[in-house]
Amino acid sequence: MNLADHWLFSYQALARHRLRSAMVLLAIGMGVSSVLLLTSIGEGARLFIEQEFSALGSKMLIVLPGKKETTGSSPPLYGTSPRDLTIEDAQALKNIRTISHVAPIIAGTATVSNQSLSRDIIIIGTNREMFTVRNLSVKQGRMLPKNSETRATPVCILGAKLAEELFKKSSPLGQWLRIGEYKYRVIGLLEQRGESLGLDLRDMAIIPVRSAQMLFNSPALFRILLQLKQTKFETSTIVKINKTIAQRHEGEADITIISQDAMLSSFNKIIVAVTASIGAIAAISLIVAGILIMNVSYISVSQRREEIGLLKSLGASGREVRLIFIISSLVITSFGTLAGLILSYSIVFIIQTNFPSIPLAIPWWSTLAAIFMSFIMALLFSWLPANKAAAVDPILALRG
Amino acid sequence: MTDNAIINISDINKTYQVGEQPLHALQNIKLNIKQGEYLSLMGPSGSGKSTLLNMIGLLDRPDTGQYQLQGENTELLTEEQRALLRRKYIGFVFQSFHLIPRLTALENVELPLMLAGVKPKLRREKSSKLLSELGLGNHLGQLPKHLSGGQLQRVGIARALITEPTILLADEPTGNLDQSSGQEVTDILERYNRNGITLLVVTHDLALGNRARRQLNMIDGVIVTDTRLSTIKIKQYEQQGSSQ
């Protein structure tokens, strides 16, 4: 019996027992699509995070004040440098030729109020370059003044939610509001971009970095954001930054530099691990489908005893009978897997087109794994019933 | 004495365990069958007729003794090898037809060729030709449930003949048929026997059994009589048969 005939014979057997075949088909289809859909959630989350990072620009470096190190002879202590990063440090970094933008940042919480309405929010003190580095833009009004690093101009740019909360329907542009002890004039509104790395840009005010120094009464920068001219300059630039800071900080480069790639790859590792474990959970549903294949094959062997006896009397050996049963379970598995693939890809497609905000994507490896798994299951779980069929005594079977 | 025998059985024994008691289904059976012979095997229920038939058809293995089929010793063959011999030399006709209900008449007849790996086009041609010969040319695409008993058995015979076996083993081939369909089936089997196929019919039916030129009688696992009719007697039977 050649392969084409095996397929034909199995197909005839499956097409005839429609309900039974449909049940197994359903089970395998559900198993496969649960693997694909569950992993697509994990993969979607990974892509979402990757997208968020790339929105920041891949050429970004973050300089944090202080360096974790052991100082002193004994006892060893974890010490952070007493020296703050200052606006002047940030300005010094501008002299490094591979850096295109430098954005010093002071961040803190303060109470913002307009007449009787007030709100505790995060205040960011920075300069114009942060808008470039973090891909932000002003929807209405003006940018921060050019001299944000030298003059404490009392102006601010508001996030959309904050503006609405404080000014309701009226336009905030040109209005004065109070932040902490000082009064600021609203010169612009931020383009709505939602959440970025845990910072809600909608509920935030941006002021010139000098003004922030005054507001929080401290020269210390929270961090410095840098944008490189090209990604390949990363390593050499880090060396230069350390050197520049060391010159300014009495020979000690007491800063920590984080590259975006490093952050992204650590996030990636976590997400891949999460996706894989979701996949493993989903694989359990495939195993359940496999057990169903086994049960149905067992029933099928009992129902087809007479046929098996006949095949043997017609010259089929036990090996051929076993093959017939294994192939028929492979045939149904092929159809079931196909149905599962079509089902899950269409569900993901429908969700992607109708709800683009829900991140879903079926990873290629889970598609392969699901196909592979379902065939392994089919082989594994049809083996026992197929052996049982091969061992049927033709004389007894034909006697009925 | 056994030079031209296609089946050569010597001292075959088979015992089944039925409850506490061992049942001696075959006892020291000796049997030679030549090419083209027409044999009937008769005897009461439980006499071992079917066991012997299955033994000859390589569906069952003897406990002791020797069985040569076309000069080949079969006792030590593997299951695969026995299946191959079965496919090559033996055709079965069953009392209850044993057609696969989901397959059409044509597909049922094709089945042995499919198992033997014959190409679809060739086996289709061969099977439809044979079915037409047996008067079923108009029923090729019909499922067994739409065929009468006589038609079903003709499909069964076609399936047994399609591989051109040397020996046809028929277990009560007319047992489930009415008189006229039974006569039809008997005529077909005898026609192929006249063309050279060896025919062994197991039956309870004396009228059928008495038509064979060589008649075996079994009781309690032993062949008690082995009668060969003279040519004259056969002529008489044949005349009786045709005058009926």
Side-chain angles (χ1 to χ4, degrees), chain A residues 1 5 8-9 12-13 16 304 306-307 310-320 394-395 398, chain B residues 54 59-60 79-80 83 86-87 92 94 98 100-103 107 111-112 114-115 117-118 123 145 159:
Chain A
M1 206 156 164
D5 288 336
L8 178 69
F9 194 73
Q12 284 166 334
R16 160 106 184 160
R304 289 167 74 183
E306 183 192 318
E307 181 186 325
L310 172 75
L311 288 172
K312 284 191 161 180
S313 76
L314 295 180
S317 62
R319 216 182 65 193
E320 274 173 318
I395 303 161
L398 287 172
Chain B
N54 291 329
L59 288 176
D60 209 346
E79 230 237 280
E80 309 291 310
R86 208 149 57 216
R87 188 184 289 173
F92 280 98
F94 304 98
H98 289 309
I100 296 181
R102 65 169 179 276
L103 301 181
E107 285 164 345
L111 198 53
M114 192 193 232
L115 285 169
V118 175
R123 66 178 187 237
K145 63 182 169 196
R159 184 182 58 196

Side-chain angles (χ1 to χ4, degrees), chain A residues 265-286:
Chain A
S265 73
S266 61
F267 260 108
N268 242 335
K269 272 181 210 155
I270 296 168
I271 293 291
V272 166
V274 169
T275 311
S277 40
I278 289 174
I281 294 166
I284 294 172
S285 54
L286 263 185

